[in-house]
Amino acid sequence: MSRQIHILLQTTIPSVEDDWNISRFSLLKEYLESIKDETGQQLFVVTGRDRLSDAAGDDPILSSLDQSDFNQLWLFALDVGEGLTAKDIAGINAFRKRGGGILSTRDHQDMGCSMCGIVDIGDLHYFNTKNPDPDDSRWTRDDPHTTYISWPNYHSGANGDYQKIIPAEPNHPLLQNPDSPTGLIELFPSHPHEGGIGVQPDSTASVIAFGESIVTGRKFNLVVAMEHYTDTEGNRLGRAIAHSSFHHFVDYNWDIDKGCPSFVDEPPGTGMKTEPQALTDIKTYVHNAALWLAA
C-alpha cells in the first residue's frame, strides 16, 4: 500500500455557525477522502478544523504544525487580521521549511491578511491595507454592486455560477484534465468579489491561471503556483499554491443548495448545476493540487 498523504483543511476563524466555518467545506473534504490510489486504498487522510485558541491565544495545531504528521496545509484565511498569531505563523513556516505543501486562499479587501507573516505566501497575496498590489492602478473597486466591500474585489460572476479560466502558457500540470476536450481545466466556480494575488520578480512562483471580470473585463490573477526551492539555511521548502478566493472550494459555490451565512446578500446563480463540466473541472483541479503539493 502506498503511503497515505495527510491533509489539514484549516480556517483562521473560530467555529461560528453563521460564518464560513469548516463545515461549509464538507464537499471538498468528502471528495478528497474519496480519491483512491492504484491499489484502491484511500490516498488522502483529511482533517478539517476551525481555529482554536489555547491559554496563550495560539492555535495548538498551527503553532506546532512542523511537529505534526500532516503533509499539507490547505489554509482558508477568513479573518481580517487576527486569525494567526506570531507563534502560529512560526509553526506554519517551520512546517513548510521541512517540506510541507501549502494551499492558501482568502477573499476580498483585507480578508486573510493575517497570512502576511507566512514565508512567500504573505508576498503572494495582495490586500487593501497590507502588502497592496504593486500596480496602483488596481487600487480601485471592480465589483460595483456590493459597495461596502473595497478593493481588491474582482467580479468573476455570481456565487453558484462558473467562470471561464484563462490558462497561462506554458500550461501548468495543475491545470491538466485529460477528460476535457482541450486537455485542460476550463471552468472554476465564480464569485462576485475575488481578492488579489501576484508574484515577486525574483520569486520561483508563477501565475498559472487568470480570471476576467464580467463587469469591467479586467483580467486578474486567479491561481499562483510556487515550486520547491532551497533557502539560505539549506531547508528545502515545500510547494505552495495561492488562490484569489476561498469560494473556489466552499460548498455554496459547488452546490448552491448547501446554503451560506446570513450576511451573504448577493443573488446566486445556477451555472454549477446546469453545466456538469464546471463541477468536474474543479474536482479535477483539487485532485491535481493534492498530488502536486505532495510531490
Side-chain angles (χ1 to χ4, degrees), residues 257-277:
D257 292 340
K258 289 290 187 178
C260 60
S262 61
F263 54 75
V264 177
D265 55 12
E266 300 92 358
T270 59
M272 293 294 289
K273 285 185 173 294
T274 59
E275 176 49 76
Q277 183 189 341

Side-chain angles (χ1 to χ4, degrees), residues 1-4 36-43:
M1 178 179 173
S2 63
R3 177 173 173 266
Q4 289 182 312
K36 304 294 193 292
D37 66 15
E38 63 277 2
T39 69
Q41 300 299 308
Q42 182 178 348
L43 182 55

Side-chain angles (χ1 to χ4, degrees), residues 7-286:
I7 299 176
L8 173 61
L9 307 180
Q10 172 79 48
T11 76
T12 60
I13 58 173
S15 297
V16 176
E17 182 177 354
D18 193 28
D19 206 341
W20 296 111
N21 65 73
I22 198 63
S23 71
R24 297 187 187 273
F25 295 84
S26 65
L27 297 178
L28 171 66
K29 184 174 185 289
E30 290 168 9
Y31 175 65
L32 283 167
E33 290 174 330
S34 75
I35 298 172
K36 304 294 193 292
D37 66 15
E38 63 277 2
T39 69
Q41 300 299 308
Q42 182 178 348
L43 182 55
F44 302 108
V45 178
V46 186
T47 300
R49 66 187 296 274
D50 292 309
R51 176 180 173 75
L52 291 173
S53 298
D54 60 18
D58 304 311
D59 184 285
I61 300 297
L62 293 178
S63 61
S64 59
L65 193 61
D66 58 311
Q67 302 167 43
S68 73
D69 292 331
F70 291 112
N71 307 109
Q72 297 178 24
L73 168 64
W74 291 39
L75 184 63
F76 306 108
L78 312 177
D79 62 279
V80 290
E82 303 298 327
L84 297 170
T85 66
K87 191 173 180 181
D88 297 339
I89 290 170
I92 294 170
N93 285 338
F95 168 78
R96 184 147 171 263
K97 288 180 179 181
R98 70 143 163 94
I102 299 179
L103 185 149
S104 62
T105 184
R106 36 71 70 95
D107 207 46
H108 57 260
Q109 200 169 332
D110 274 342
M111 183 177 283
C113 64
S114 65
M115 293 192 293
C116 284
I118 302 177
V119 170
D120 298 320
I121 289 167
D123 294 328
L124 300 180
H125 290 274
Y126 300 145
F127 302 99
N128 183 280
T129 63
K130 295 183 178 180
N131 192 40
D133 194 317
D135 178 1
D136 60 10
S137 72
R138 292 182 176 270
W139 298 2
T140 181
R141 183 184 292 113
D142 182 89
D143 170 25
H145 307 299
T146 311
T147 55
Y148 56 83
I149 291 175
S150 190
W151 59 268
N153 63 356
Y154 301 102
H155 194 314
S156 64
N159 294 311
D161 280 338
Y162 59 85
Q163 59 181 303
K164 177 79 172 178
I165 72 172
I166 305 166
E169 295 183 353
N171 300 147
H172 195 277
L174 281 168
L175 300 182
Q176 300 301 311
N177 183 1
D179 297 326
S180 165
T182 63
L184 295 172
I185 291 164
E186 300 176 0
L187 308 175
F188 259 29
S190 58
H191 180 57
H193 28 78
E194 306 206 20
I197 55 175
V199 299
Q200 303 297 317
D202 57 349
S203 173
T204 64
S206 57
V207 178
I208 67 165
F210 305 93
E212 187 174 281
S213 168
I214 65 170
V215 174
T216 64
R218 189 162 204 180
K219 197 174 176 181
F220 64 95
N221 298 333
L222 196 70
V223 185
V224 169
M226 174 173 271
E227 276 290 352
H228 295 285
Y229 72 92
T230 302
D231 66 13
T232 56
E233 299 172 346
N235 300 303
R236 178 121 172 114
L237 277 71
R239 284 172 164 169
I241 303 171
H243 272 250
S244 55
S245 178
F246 74 91
H247 285 273
H248 302 157
F249 303 103
V250 77
D251 289 357
Y252 184 56
N253 291 77
W254 286 21
D255 179 357
I256 209 74
D257 292 340
K258 289 290 187 178
C260 60
S262 61
F263 54 75
V264 177
D265 55 12
E266 300 92 358
T270 59
M272 293 294 289
K273 285 185 173 294
T274 59
E275 176 49 76
Q277 183 189 341
L279 187 57
T280 298
D281 272 1
I282 188 59
K283 286 184 173 181
T284 301
Y285 175 82
V286 164

